[in-house]
């Protein structure tokens, strides 16, 4: 009965590869997010979707492409992985868009690029 | 643009002692303020939030926070810390009309026996 789930939990890959991280929420929320947490634990928003529509894109390289097939899923595809992409990626969801809405976070995906 | 400062990178507290984690924000109007906790290997969990009204808010796990507009602060407190409280704590600020939250860099809480 996990509210926000992500797969995989760990991802180790070589530079230049393409990889995807999947996120699903079973809360019936309209809005989903991707965050990147760097090695210093700094958490920064990357993207947000509301009802499958992109509403936030925070100056993320074009190599990152989110896709929302339905409002319960928000996947993150990364092309041509670089060393600097190594981080923990968190998916989150909220009932609606708007900063006053509580965000529920997934357990994170630790990406290591070698 | 809003910003959040958590001046303490890490704090060590003895089990049973009181705790205060500091958070200062920068925002022109009344912000939405949040405290989240991240246990090792886990995602973030909301402890409490402030939007308006009573400036002392109660949260889960015995935590509380006080909004002080004059000091632009939203400090998190707990009267008696338990070993299970050891975690990373993040303060976050949101603005009316925007969807994003701005997070502080976190404070790592260590609990000594």
């Amino acid at each position: 009965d996990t509210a926000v789930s992500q797969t995989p939990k760990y991802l180790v890959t070589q530079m230049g590869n393409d990889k995807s991280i999947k996120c699903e929420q079973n809360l019936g929320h309209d809005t989903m997010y991707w965050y990147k947490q760097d090695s210093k634990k700094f958490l920064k928003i990357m993207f947000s979707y509301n009802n499958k529509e992109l509403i936030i894109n925070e100056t993320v390289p074009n190599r990152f492409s989110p896709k929302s097939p339905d409002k319960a899923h928000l996947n993150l595809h990364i092309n041509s992985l670089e060393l600097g992409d190594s981080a923990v990626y968190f998916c989150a969801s909220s009932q609606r868009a708007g900063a006053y809405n509580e965000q529920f976070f997934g357990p994170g995906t630790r990406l290591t690029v070698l | 643009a809003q910003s959040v400062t958590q001046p303490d990178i890490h704090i060590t507290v003895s089990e049973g002692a009181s705790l205060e984690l500091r958070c200062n924000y920068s925002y022109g109007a009344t912000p939405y303020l949040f405290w989240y906790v991240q246990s090792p290997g886990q995602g973030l969990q909301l402890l409490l939030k402030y939007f308006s009204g009573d400036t002392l808010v109660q949260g889960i796990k015995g935590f509380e926070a006080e909004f002080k507009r004059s000091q632009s602060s939203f400090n998190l407190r707990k009267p008696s810390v338990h070993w299970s409280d050891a975690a990373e704590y993040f303060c976050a600020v949101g603005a009316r009309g925007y969807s994003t939250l701005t997070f502080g860099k976190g404070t790592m809480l260590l609990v000594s026996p």
Side-chain angles (χ1 to χ4, degrees), chain A residues 67-114:
Chain A
K67 283 190 172 49
S68 183
D70 55 63
K71 72 176 192 177
H73 295 84
L74 180 62
N75 304 323
L76 183 65
H77 188 76
I78 316 170
N79 289 326
S80 303
L81 278 154
E82 301 178 357
L83 293 176
D85 298 331
S86 295
V88 181
Y89 292 84
F90 286 100
C91 177
S93 72
S94 62
Q95 189 163 17
R96 294 179 192 82
Y100 54 86
N101 288 284
E102 178 182 355
Q103 294 184 22
F104 292 79
F105 284 77
T109 296
R110 182 174 292 278
L111 171 64
T112 303
V113 182
L114 304 174

Side-chain angles (χ1 to χ4, degrees), chain B residues 30-32 50-55 57 96:
Chain B
T30 299
Y32 302 130
Y50 171 80
F51 295 157
S52 65
D54 193 347
T55 56
V57 292
R96 291 177 191 275

Side-chain angles (χ1 to χ4, degrees), chain B residues 3 13 38 64 71 99:
Chain B
S3 66
V13 174
Q38 183 181 20
E64 67 178 26
Q71 297 175 19
S99 295

Side-chain angles (χ1 to χ4, degrees), chain B residues 3-86:
Chain B
S3 66
V4 180
T5 301
Q6 293 180 246
D8 304 305
I9 297 174
H10 51 77
I11 282 182
T12 301
V13 174
S14 299
E15 190 168 16
S18 63
L19 168 70
E20 182 168 28
L21 300 182
R22 296 183 291 165
C23 173
N24 293 98
Y25 68 89
S26 172
Y27 180 58
T30 299
Y32 302 130
L33 292 161
F34 305 81
W35 275 101
Y36 281 85
V37 61
Q38 183 181 20
S39 298
Q42 304 293 319
L44 280 73
Q45 181 185 22
L46 181 68
L47 285 175
L48 46 77
K49 59 190 176 186
Y50 171 80
F51 295 157
S52 65
D54 193 347
T55 56
L56 184 64
V57 292
Q58 303 296 322
I60 62 171
K61 305 185 183 190
F63 285 92
E64 67 178 26
E66 187 171 12
F67 171 61
K68 292 186 177 180
R69 184 190 301 275
S70 61
Q71 297 175 19
S72 297
S73 69
F74 188 56
N75 294 347
L76 182 71
R77 301 194 294 245
K78 186 170 184 178
S80 177
V81 166
H82 187 261
W83 64 266
S84 61
D85 293 325

